[in-house]
Structure formats: C-alpha cells, structure tokens
Amino acid sequence: MFRRVRTGVRRSPVATRLVAIAAMLLVAAAAHLATTAEPVGRWVPLLVVGVVGAVVTGAPARLWPLPAIWLVATLLALTRDAPVDSSAAVVALVVGAAALLAAIAVDLRPVLRARRRRGAA
C-alpha cells in the first residue's frame, strides 16, 4: 500500500516537497507542544502524521533529520518567554537525543558495511 502511495507522490516532485516540508513542520510543532506539557492527545497525532508523511514521501533520504528537527524545536521552545514544564522539556530533550543517536547509527550502518567490504576485497 505504501509503495503505491509513495510512487504516486513521487510522480509530482512539487507535491513531494510540499508534503516533506509539512511533515518536518508537524514534527517541530509536536516537539514544541510536548515541551510546553500539552496533553499527549494534542501533540502525538501531530508527530505521527509528520513521521508518516515523511515516510510516505521518502522525504528524508536519511533518518536523522526528523529527530534533529525535534531537538531544535525543543531547544527553541526553551528559549521563549512562554511557560515551559521543565520535566516535560527534559523528557523531550532526552527522547530527542536518543532518537537522534539511534537514527545516526541506523544511517551509518550501510556506510560502515560498505567500507568493511571494500577493505576486505
């Protein structure tokens, strides 16, 4: 199912870019809402729709941009004068950092395998 949707979206590069940008913005909005300790029912749907939108469009060729955007949006939310729940902010930062490290590890796995194969050959 995703394959057909992804193929249809990729036929129109403009639509793909728009959906990719919207997905990144939704992830940033979810991070901002999570930092301000909004109820889970308000920011989780934004995060899910953002990640699904990015996966469907194949927007990020790598995984690391989504958690990186989460971290940047969380840090920006902390710099505002608006009230921020410190425990929610710490959780958002820790989850974002862990997701970023995991995404970087997943993204580097094929590169490291290719290097090992070249070195062994």
Side-chain angles (χ1 to χ4, degrees), residues 3-4 11 17 20 23 28 34 37 40 47-48 57-58 62 66-67 71 75 77 88 90 94 103 107 111:
R3 216 176 277 172
R4 266 188 287 149
R11 284 187 193 141
R17 287 188 196 124
V40 172
L47 181 62
V48 169
T57 61
R62 303 284 182 212
L66 291 176
L71 280 174
L75 291 172
V90 168
V94 168
D107 286 343
V111 173

Side-chain angles (χ1 to χ4, degrees), residues 49-103:
V49 170
V51 170
V52 168
V55 168
V56 165
T57 61
R62 303 284 182 212
L63 296 176
W64 68 265
L66 291 176
I69 287 172
W70 175 275
L71 280 174
V72 169
T74 302
L75 291 172
L76 287 174
L78 294 174
T79 62
R80 290 181 17 156
D81 289 336
V84 174
D85 183 16
S86 59
S87 62
V90 168
V91 169
L93 286 171
V94 168
V95 168
L100 182 61
L101 291 174

